[in-house]
């Protein structure tokens, strides 16, 4: 409970709650204990909330689902499976994203996000053709948002895997 936190934990909570919109979910509930980390990660987390980043919400979820599928952490997979479906990404496509299976998206930008995220998550070489298409279709702002977003969700996954956070863990409200 907030009133039982140390002053340092309360500071970490305030910093993360501001970036997360008032409720701490998943790794933020763990990161709150590390005020220095909370201070460092909060601006990055805030960047990936609308309207701060260059991606559509669907593009964001495509990249997130691809990287979550690689790391197999139940809590974020459960949460982002729901978000992706709420964004009208078909359940079959969401399953493919999370399971590392091939899929096809109708929108050219979404397809390019998927191909780039899949290649990055697999640790594959980025062929010149994908590089050129990504630069043309997405531009460098979207590309760097995708790469950093995937790195952030790798940290999210590792934190939640280490602490064995179950898929249905509740949030921490102020």
């Amino acid at each position: 409970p907030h009133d039982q936190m140390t002053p340092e934990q309360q500071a970490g909570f305030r910093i993360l709650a501001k970036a997360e919109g008032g409720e701490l979910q998943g790794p933020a509930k763990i990161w709150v204990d590390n005020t220095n980390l909370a201070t460092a990660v909060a601006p990055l987390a805030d960047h990936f909330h609308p309207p701060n980043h260059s991606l559509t919400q669907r593009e964001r979820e495509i990249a997130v689902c691809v990287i979550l599928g690689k790391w197999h952490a139940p809590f974020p997979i459960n949460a982002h499976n729901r978000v992706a479906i709420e964004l009208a990404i078909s359940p079959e496509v969401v399953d493919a994203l999370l399971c590392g299976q091939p899929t096809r998206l109708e929108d050219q930008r979404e397809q390019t996000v998927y191909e780039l995220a899949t290649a990055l998550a697999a640790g594959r070489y980025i062929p010149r053709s994908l590089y050129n298409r990504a630069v043309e279709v997405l531009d460098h702002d979207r590309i760097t948002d995708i790469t950093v977003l995937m790195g952030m969700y790798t940290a999210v996954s590792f934190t939640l895997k280490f602490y064995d956070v179950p898929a249905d863990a509740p949030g921490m409200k102020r």
Side-chain angles (χ1 to χ4, degrees):
H2 188 269
D3 61 352
Q4 294 176 22
M5 290 181 182
T6 67
E8 293 80 16
Q9 289 170 325
Q10 288 178 357
F13 182 91
R14 280 191 303 278
I15 291 164
L16 288 169
K18 182 179 179 205
E20 293 293 324
E23 183 175 349
L24 300 189
Q25 293 282 338
K29 289 174 59 175
I30 297 163
W31 296 342
V32 74
D33 283 326
N34 184 333
T35 307
N36 289 337
L37 177 63
T39 301
V41 79
L44 184 60
D46 185 53
H47 174 75
F48 287 109
H49 288 96
N52 303 333
H53 58 84
S54 63
L55 305 168
T56 68
Q57 287 304 97
R58 285 174 55 100
E59 291 165 352
R60 179 187 186 280
E61 287 306 313
I62 289 164
V64 167
C65 285
V66 168
I67 197 64
L68 293 177
K70 176 175 180 65
W71 300 122
H72 311 281
F75 180 85
I77 286 174
N78 184 47
H80 287 276
N81 180 58
R82 286 192 316 268
V83 171
I85 290 172
E86 287 169 8
L87 291 170
I89 300 173
S90 76
E92 296 79 21
V93 169
V94 175
D95 287 349
L97 297 172
L98 291 168
C99 295
Q101 298 299 311
T103 193
R104 199 75 161 128
L105 295 128
E106 299 288 322
D107 181 87
Q108 181 184 19
R109 263 187 27 191
E110 291 179 359
Q111 181 64 28
T112 305
V113 169
Y114 161 71
E115 291 175 23
L116 178 59
T118 300
L120 290 169
R124 299 283 187 222
Y125 168 77
I126 305 299
R128 178 60 62 185
S129 61
L130 176 55
Y131 175 90
N132 290 340
R133 188 169 62 257
V135 169
E136 179 182 329
V137 173
L138 300 173
D139 75 48
H140 291 290
D141 282 353
R142 286 186 191 91
I143 292 166
T144 55
D145 274 347
I146 291 165
T147 59
V148 174
L149 177 69
M150 291 176 69
M152 187 176 89
Y153 273 90
T154 294
V156 165
S157 295
F158 285 2
T159 300
L160 297 172
K161 282 177 71 105
F162 180 83
Y163 288 100
D164 200 22
V165 177
D168 60 350
M172 176 191 276
K173 295 188 182 196
R174 183 172 242 180

